[in-house]
Amino acid sequence: MKNKKLIIIGGEGNAGIMAACVEDNRKRFGDDEWKVEGFINDYEKTVCGYSVLGGLKDIPILLQNPEYYFMWGIHMIGRNIFTEKLFRQANIPESRFAKIVHHSAFVSDNCELDAGVFVMANSYIGPNTKIGKCTMIMANSSIGHNTKIAPLCHLALGSITGSYVSVGLCSDICMGARVIEKNNVGNFAIAAASALVRHNIPDYEIHAGIPAKFLKRIRED
Ligand SMILES: CC(C)(COP(=O)(O)OP(=O)(O)OC[C@H]1O[C@@H](n2cnc3c(N)ncnc32)[C@H](O)[C@@H]1OP(=O)(O)O)[C@@H](O)C(=O)NCCC(=O)NCCS
């Protein structure tokens, strides 16, 4: 089906990048499966030139139109618990999420991408990987084989997540961070920008530096 109506939830950061990806897939790759209908945003009237159709509280009304599909683009680094709470409150059925993959990304045949996953340009996703619901894989990120990423994670620009790694619910591998193979990142946990992770990061903790060490806990609210 062509030109399915896509509503992107969030602001000009992650959500705006999703819109740019849809447009690039249309213009340069002739993929017109999705068309951005507008955004959901509590603060702005337009985002990246697109109309804002409502706020988070309006999602139940928009869900009544069966033509609308959604992408979740809200992810607050350090406020991971709050991000996940907003997502749960939105209560969007799995069947109503789109899945957007930029045409320059390499995604292995036997990789499992759940509903709402976003994969931006020049990313690499190796064999036997599983990417959970509404996880965002931003440009130039790499994910090694046999790695499992839970729902709602954010793998930022240029991050490298090695093989046999598991990343827990609503966690971050920040810009340029590297997670060495066979190490795990917990739930609501963060590998900070440029971190070199050689150990397991426990739930709710931020680890930073080379080699990465405990920096602090994420915010509770
Ligand atoms: C980890 C992170 C969230 C911490 O941010 P923060 O809570 O605002 O932390 P602060 O800036 O207050 O820094 C606190 C301390 O940690 C240090 N620190 C912060 N980030 C660090 C990093 N990535 N590596 C090493 N040290 C870091 C600071 O130097 C500071 O040290 P000090 O107290 O001795 O001065 C942030 O640094 C980060 O990595 N953000 C991710 C950016 C990103 O990937 N964005 C996505 C774009 S696509």
Side-chain angles (χ1 to χ4, degrees):
M1 206 170 131
K2 290 181 177 183
N3 298 315
K4 288 190 279 185
K5 294 178 181 174
L6 183 65
I7 296 179
I8 307 181
I9 302 163
E12 65 180 10
N14 298 318
I17 292 164
M18 289 173 178
C21 178
V22 170
E23 284 309 315
D24 198 45
N25 277 348
R26 292 176 69 87
K27 283 188 193 137
R28 285 202 297 151
F29 299 93
D31 173 359
D32 50 12
E33 180 182 8
W34 297 105
K35 189 161 182 13
V36 179
E37 188 77 0
F39 277 63
I40 288 177
N41 186 297
D42 283 348
Y43 307 104
E44 311 289 342
K45 291 203 165 59
T46 62
V47 176
C48 301
Y50 297 92
S51 302
V52 168
L53 307 175
L56 290 172
K57 66 173 183 352
D58 300 311
I59 289 175
I61 300 161
L62 293 163
L63 276 168
Q64 285 171 20
N65 184 339
E67 292 188 342
Y68 288 157
Y69 291 85
F70 297 82
M71 285 296 283
W72 181 261
I74 298 176
H75 187 99
M76 289 165 265
I77 303 173
R79 295 198 72 193
N80 305 55
I81 294 172
F82 183 58
T83 299
E84 198 263 344
K85 186 176 161 195
L86 288 181
F87 178 77
R88 261 187 296 112
Q89 284 171 348
N91 200 22
I92 299 170
E94 206 161 297
S95 60
R96 300 298 294 280
F97 280 113
K99 197 184 291 181
I100 307 289
V101 179
H102 192 270
H103 278 269
S104 69
F106 175 86
V107 180
S108 299
D109 276 350
N110 59 356
C111 162
E112 206 180 311
L113 300 185
D114 286 349
V117 163
F118 175 59
V119 183
M120 197 26 173
N122 300 319
S123 293
Y124 164 82
I125 306 182
N128 289 316
T129 43
K130 177 169 167 58
I131 313 296
K133 186 161 73 171
C134 296
T135 274
M136 302 175 214
I137 298 166
M138 306 313 272
N140 302 310
S141 305
S142 300
I143 300 173
H145 61 89
N146 296 87
T147 279
K148 306 272 174 279
I149 313 285
L152 280 181
C153 289
H154 168 239
L155 279 61
L157 291 171
S159 61
I160 302 177
T161 307
S163 309
Y164 299 103
V165 167
S166 102
V167 179
L169 179 65
C170 202
S171 293
D172 292 88
I173 312 297
C174 292
M175 283 190 295
R178 290 144 293 164
V179 181
I180 304 286
E181 68 265 20
K182 298 179 181 160
N183 292 295
N184 299 323
V185 176
N187 299 308
F188 307 103
I190 299 179
S194 290
L196 179 65
V197 178
R198 306 193 307 176
H199 60 280
N200 296 335
I201 300 184
D203 297 347
Y204 306 107
E205 290 188 6
I206 305 177
H207 287 221
I210 303 175
K213 295 206 167 63
F214 173 77
L215 179 67
K216 57 182 173 181
R217 285 176 68 84
I218 61 159
R219 280 174 60 162
E220 299 282 330
D221 59 341

